[in-house]
């Protein structure tokens, strides 16, 4: 069998859960790697340094290094230019267009779907509100382009033989968007990177990209009223505006290297998160440190965080029911009364369910099943 692994983009700024999946797959499968753009094979700090990676014409467009999302209308065309006819098996890692590669009936295509394309589906109106291209006459053009992108996205779901979802939440979204069933295999979380620490310091932490759907402003507004010390790690387009909202009890550290994030996660009294994530790797990383999680009770958080009010001996956090500062304030006040009741070892044990070896076992077993079911 000859394998190709297709991912959206590979840059030093793309270091999230989808990239961890790519890294783990490459540890177990000898696959040629393809992406829309690649700036990792020239990065000496990357595990992909000096690796041969196939790319598209977007590689040579101005400012592509800082993100190809600005070329959104061209992404479907670009991914379809990857010529993969020499491979028996196509493995795609898709959160936008990677699943749209062209394949033949003689090829097996297995897609690990991190999410159906967010800006075409769930975040369409958020994207339109926050972008200058979402207003006035340009807004009409943008709406039309997103409409066509949704059509392309549904059509290309038929190019996939088997879907894998990173959570049951994502599997439901795949069914809603594409009417396709998906096997649920949770992504790998490198829990060994995160030091377990029994004694905590008196501050709360959130780590996130500072963009609108991550709801960092909601967290800051709640902590403005509570007065509890909060540390915010992360960078993004909304950072300046949110910083202006914050009171003195909120500290912004901007982007930080992994080592700093790991230290703060281990020391924090609690990890706070208000976004609806498809999985939410940061929530598991915090639990690996023995740090309880206070999170919005939707999406992947329902599958990774055990609310102590339902799991008295093994609870790993608190879930709040709606994305509002009032709901978060109520959850934080409850957390303060229960903080001494958390079993930090239970948090570590819960995080261990998402270790890389468990992902590898399930992923490779599913691939083997697909090979047996598929008639080459």
């Amino acid at each position: 069998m000859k394998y190709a692994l297709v991912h959206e983009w590979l840059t030093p700024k793309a270091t999230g859960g989808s990239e961890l999946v790519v890294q783990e797959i490459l540890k177990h499968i000898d696959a040629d790697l393809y992406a829309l753009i690649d700036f990792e094979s020239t990065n000496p700090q990357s595990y992909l340094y000096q690796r041969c990676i196939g790319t598209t014409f977007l590689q040579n467009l101005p400012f592509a290094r800082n993100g190809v999302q600005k070329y959104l209308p061209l992404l479907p065309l670009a991914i379809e230019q990857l010529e993969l006819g020499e491979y028996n098996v196509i493995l795609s890692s898709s959160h936008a267009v990677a699943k749209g590669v062209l394949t033949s009936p003689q090829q097996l295509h297995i897609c690990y779907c991190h999410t159906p394309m967010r800006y075409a589906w769930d975040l369409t109106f958020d994207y339109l509100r926050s972008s200058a291209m979402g207003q006035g006459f340009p807004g009409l053009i943008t709406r039309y382009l997103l409409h066509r992108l949704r059509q392309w996205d549904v059509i290309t779901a038929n190019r996939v033989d088997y879907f894998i979802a990173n959570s049951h939440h994502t599997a439901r979204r795949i069914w809603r968007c594409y009417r396709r069933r998906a096997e649920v295999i949770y992504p790998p979380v490198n829990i060994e990177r995160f030091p377990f620490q029994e004694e905590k310091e008196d501050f709360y932490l959130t780590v996130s990209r500072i963009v609108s759907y991550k709801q960092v402003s909601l967290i800051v507004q709640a902590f403005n009223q509570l007065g509890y010390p909060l540390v915010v790690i992360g960078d993004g387009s909304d950072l300046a505006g949110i910083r202006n909202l914050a009171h003195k009890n909120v500290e912004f550290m901007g982007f930080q290297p992994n080592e700093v994030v790991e230290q703060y996660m281990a020391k924090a009294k609690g990890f706070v998160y208000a976004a609806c994530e498809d999985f939410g790797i940061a929530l598991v990383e915090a639990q690996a440190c023995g740090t309880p999680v206070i999170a919005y009770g939707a999406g992947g958080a329902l599958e990774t965080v055990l609310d102590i009010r339902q799991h008295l001996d093994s609870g790993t956090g608190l879930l709040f029911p709606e994305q509002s500062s009032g709901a978060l304030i109520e959850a934080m006040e409850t957390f303060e009364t229960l903080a001494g009741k958390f079993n930090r070892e239970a948090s570590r044990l819960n995080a261990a369910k998402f270790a890389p070896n468990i992902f590898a076992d399930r992923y490779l077993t599913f691939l083997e099943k697909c090979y047996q079911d598929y008639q080459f």
Side-chain angles (χ1 to χ4, degrees):
M1 292 290 181
K2 193 171 183 182
Y3 297 85
L5 174 57
V6 184
H7 188 56
E8 262 87 21
W9 45 79
L10 298 164
T11 75
K13 291 186 176 181
T15 57
S18 61
E19 286 72 33
L20 293 176
V21 167
V22 169
Q23 185 172 359
E24 193 63 31
I25 290 172
L26 290 174
K27 289 179 182 178
H28 302 279
I29 297 175
D30 182 16
D32 291 337
L33 187 56
Y34 290 84
L36 292 169
I37 60 170
D38 158 45
F39 293 96
E40 281 288 84
S41 60
T42 55
N43 174 16
Q45 308 303 316
S46 173
Y47 75 99
L48 295 173
Y49 183 54
Q50 295 186 331
R51 187 181 183 114
C52 181
I53 299 174
T55 59
T56 70
F57 64 84
L58 295 176
Q59 180 79 16
N60 302 313
L61 294 187
F63 313 112
R65 185 185 187 95
N66 294 322
V68 292
Q69 295 92 323
K70 62 179 70 66
Y71 298 114
L72 184 61
L74 297 177
L75 301 192
L77 173 64
I79 204 71
E80 290 179 349
Q81 304 314 302
L82 291 176
E83 190 174 349
L84 305 176
E86 64 181 290
Y87 300 97
N88 305 104
V89 182
I90 311 300
L91 305 173
S92 58
S93 163
S94 185
H95 54 76
V97 298
K99 71 172 177 55
V101 291
L102 298 177
T103 58
S104 74
Q106 290 74 41
Q107 294 173 300
L108 172 63
H109 182 182
I110 302 169
C111 174
Y112 191 100
C113 184
H114 308 277
T115 175
M117 200 182 318
R118 279 187 172 276
Y119 25 80
W121 299 99
D122 296 52
L123 295 183
T124 291
F125 297 107
D126 185 79
Y127 176 73
L128 291 169
R129 280 193 298 270
S130 62
S131 170
M133 293 299 294
Q135 313 303 318
F137 181 70
L140 294 176
I141 297 174
T142 302
R143 289 167 194 270
Y144 175 72
L145 290 173
L146 290 172
H147 167 69
R148 293 303 300 270
L149 193 58
R150 282 188 289 273
Q151 291 178 323
W152 179 88
D153 196 34
V154 172
I155 289 168
T156 57
N158 292 317
R159 299 176 188 173
V160 176
D161 296 300
Y162 299 94
F163 273 101
I164 302 170
N166 64 352
S167 67
H168 291 281
H169 173 71
T170 298
R172 288 190 291 271
R173 293 183 60 231
I174 290 170
W175 175 253
R176 188 184 68 216
C177 296
Y178 309 142
R179 285 299 187 261
R180 294 290 303 277
R181 300 291 182 188
E183 179 81 0
V184 175
I185 301 177
Y186 292 122
V189 183
N190 188 1
I191 61 172
E192 297 307 318
R193 266 184 48 211
F194 293 85
F196 177 80
Q197 187 165 321
E198 185 74 39
E199 296 300 318
K200 303 297 181 181
E201 297 183 11
D202 189 25
F203 71 91
Y204 291 93
L205 175 70
T206 188
V207 180
S208 172
R209 284 186 295 121
I210 316 296
V211 292
S212 58
Y213 89 92
K214 294 291 189 177
Q215 298 289 337
V216 179
S217 61
L218 184 157
I219 297 173
V220 169
Q221 288 166 9
F223 274 77
N224 281 347
Q225 295 184 56
L226 290 163
Y228 301 158
L230 173 70
V231 174
V232 180
I233 295 179
D235 199 358
S237 56
D238 289 0
L239 178 59
I242 294 174
R243 194 194 295 270
N244 289 335
L245 292 174
H247 293 178
K248 291 182 179 180
N249 58 304
V250 181
E251 177 187 357
F252 290 86
M253 295 182 63
F255 173 81
Q256 294 293 325
N258 289 338
E259 297 78 15
V260 175
V261 174
E262 292 156 14
Q263 290 169 13
Y264 273 80
M265 274 194 172
K267 295 187 294 184
K269 185 176 182 179
F271 184 82
V272 188
Y273 212 78
C276 178
E277 291 287 6
D278 296 296
F279 177 74
I281 280 182
L283 305 183
V284 178
E285 292 171 341
Q287 291 174 72
C289 297
T291 300
V293 172
I294 305 96
Y296 172 46
L302 292 173
E303 301 173 49
T304 62
V305 180
L306 302 176
D307 194 309
I308 194 169
R309 291 167 293 192
Q310 281 76 52
H311 304 268
L312 298 179
D313 297 323
S314 58
T316 65
L318 280 174
L319 299 172
F320 54 93
E322 62 182 39
Q323 287 175 310
S324 69
S325 57
L328 177 53
I329 288 169
E330 184 177 339
M332 293 304 307
E333 290 172 341
T334 302
F335 180 84
E336 284 283 319
T337 66
L338 298 174
K341 299 184 181 298
F342 285 95
N343 181 339
R344 304 201 188 283
E345 289 283 357
S347 289
R348 181 77 176 186
L349 287 172
N350 189 55
K353 298 174 185 176
F354 307 98
N357 64 304
I358 295 176
F359 166 83
D361 265 357
R362 295 207 58 206
Y363 186 82
L364 295 173
T365 299
F366 184 71
L367 261 58
E368 183 63 33
K369 179 180 181 297
C370 294
Y371 302 153
Q372 293 172 0
D373 292 346
Y374 194 80
Q375 298 296 317
F376 282 96

